[in-house]
Amino acid sequence: MSKIFRMTAIAAFAALAASASMAETMNMDVKASVTGTCKLAAANALDFGALDPVAAPAVTGKTTTITYLCTKGKTPAALTINGGSGSTTSSMVHATVVADLIPFSLTWSTTLPAGLGMGTGKEVTVTVSGDIAAGVYSNLTAGNYSKTLTVDFTP
């Protein structure tokens, strides 16, 4: 019996030693969350150029761009210029004769494309078109006219 007991004890010890040295495996999750966001990248100037007051034709089709970045797939909520959504009107003012004004109108798309990412070269462009009606600048003081508009961008 003692031989059987010894062999059983040796087998039990071997099994215990083997189980103690066996590796165990478990899964570990690694997580992150990317926040959906947007930011305005640039609001470029619109230059109507030199205006000829003799003929004073309408000036149409002048364009500029506004660019933004959004997280890939995020669509911004709104882009407004001077509070207008898709169009606005205002007037440029002479540099020194504040009574002299050149009225103009701007239009742009209110359907804003989803973002392509926040990295370099991923900017989304919105084209802004400007027009000046015929004759509105024929009796004005020569010189520079300008107007600063507010561009609001809602992510």
Side-chain angles (χ1 to χ4, degrees), residues 11-64:
F13 180 74
L16 182 62
S19 69
S21 66
M22 289 180 65
E24 291 190 32
T25 303
M26 241 182 195
N27 293 332
M28 176 182 75
D29 292 336
V30 178
K31 298 179 180 183
S33 175
V34 175
T35 303
T37 189
C38 296
K39 72 173 198 163
L40 197 56
N44 298 302
L46 175 63
D47 187 351
F48 284 105
L51 305 177
D52 176 10
V54 176
V59 181
T60 60
K62 295 292 185 176
T63 63
T64 190

Side-chain angles (χ1 to χ4, degrees), residues 8-139:
T8 305
I10 291 172
F13 180 74
L16 182 62
S19 69
S21 66
M22 289 180 65
E24 291 190 32
T25 303
M26 241 182 195
N27 293 332
M28 176 182 75
D29 292 336
V30 178
K31 298 179 180 183
S33 175
V34 175
T35 303
T37 189
C38 296
K39 72 173 198 163
L40 197 56
N44 298 302
L46 175 63
D47 187 351
F48 284 105
L51 305 177
D52 176 10
V54 176
V59 181
T60 60
K62 295 292 185 176
T63 63
T64 190
T65 59
I66 295 173
T67 56
Y68 62 88
L69 295 160
C70 285
T71 310
K72 187 176 181 179
K74 173 148 176 65
T75 302
L79 173 76
T80 62
I81 302 173
N82 255 26
S85 179
S87 67
T88 192
T89 58
S90 191
S91 294
M92 294 177 279
V93 180
H94 188 273
T96 59
V97 184
V98 295
D100 282 1
L101 306 172
I102 301 174
F104 64 92
S105 63
L106 302 177
T107 57
W108 63 96
S109 176
T110 57
T111 303
L112 302 173
L116 305 172
M118 299 297 285
T120 303
K122 300 297 183 182
E123 296 85 358
V124 178
T125 300
V126 175
T127 300
V128 178
S129 298
D131 299 315
I132 297 175
V136 297
Y137 54 91
S138 61
N139 295 312

